[in-house]
Amino acid sequence: QVQLVESGGGLVQAGGSLRLSCAASGRIARFNAMGWHRQAPGKQRELVAHITSGGSTNYADSVKGRFTIFRDNAKNTVHLQMNSLKPEDTAVYYCNADLFPYGLGPHDYWGQGTQVTVSS
């Protein structure tokens, strides 16, 4: 059983910073990619940032230059450093991992979500 556990959400003022972390545990053979998505009230879930096993990154236009995704491969953890936060960044943030559990083909896993609220 593979699990993703997120941490680091909370309430912050506009212009502030937060770091989200997501730790993957279980019988994991290897990762394809990990990423963060978010969903604001009344809106569809959207990709925020994505990092491949080779370290290539991809960001939503709305967060480029403000957010940074990076991984700690030894700890099966991905982080999202969020700077210069804006009220429109308010959402539930979800960790996602595309990986191979031992003995199985590629699977897509999601964390439970962590709330980020940015006050103006």
Side-chain angles (χ1 to χ4, degrees):
Q1 184 75 7
V2 174
Q3 288 188 319
L4 303 181
V5 178
E6 298 128 333
S7 60
L11 172 65
V12 65
Q13 288 188 332
S17 297
L18 283 175
R19 178 177 292 187
L20 305 183
S21 297
C22 173
S25 63
R27 292 177 52 79
I28 300 167
R30 63 180 176 89
F31 289 87
N32 281 335
M34 296 185 78
W36 290 91
H37 291 67
R38 67 186 181 188
Q39 188 166 18
K43 295 187 177 181
Q44 290 189 331
R45 191 174 296 190
E46 62 174 357
L47 174 68
V48 176
H50 174 264
I51 184 167
T52 69
S53 58
S56 297
T57 57
N58 183 43
Y59 296 92
D61 288 342
S62 59
V63 307
K64 283 180 181 176
R66 300 188 298 121
F67 291 11
T68 302
I69 187 170
F70 58 100
R71 291 174 62 168
D72 182 341
N73 291 327
K75 296 181 179 180
N76 288 344
T77 301
V78 65
H79 306 277
L80 184 69
Q81 178 65 41
M82 305 185 294
N83 298 328
S84 302
L85 282 160
K86 304 175 181 180
E88 51 264 43
D89 294 318
T90 295
V92 178
Y93 284 70
Y94 296 90
C95 176
N96 168 251
D98 176 15
L99 56 85
F100 285 82
Y102 276 110
L104 298 175
H107 277 62
D108 206 33
Y109 293 90
W110 292 87
Q112 79 283 358
T114 185
Q115 177 70 46
V116 170
T117 303
V118 184
S119 63
S120 57

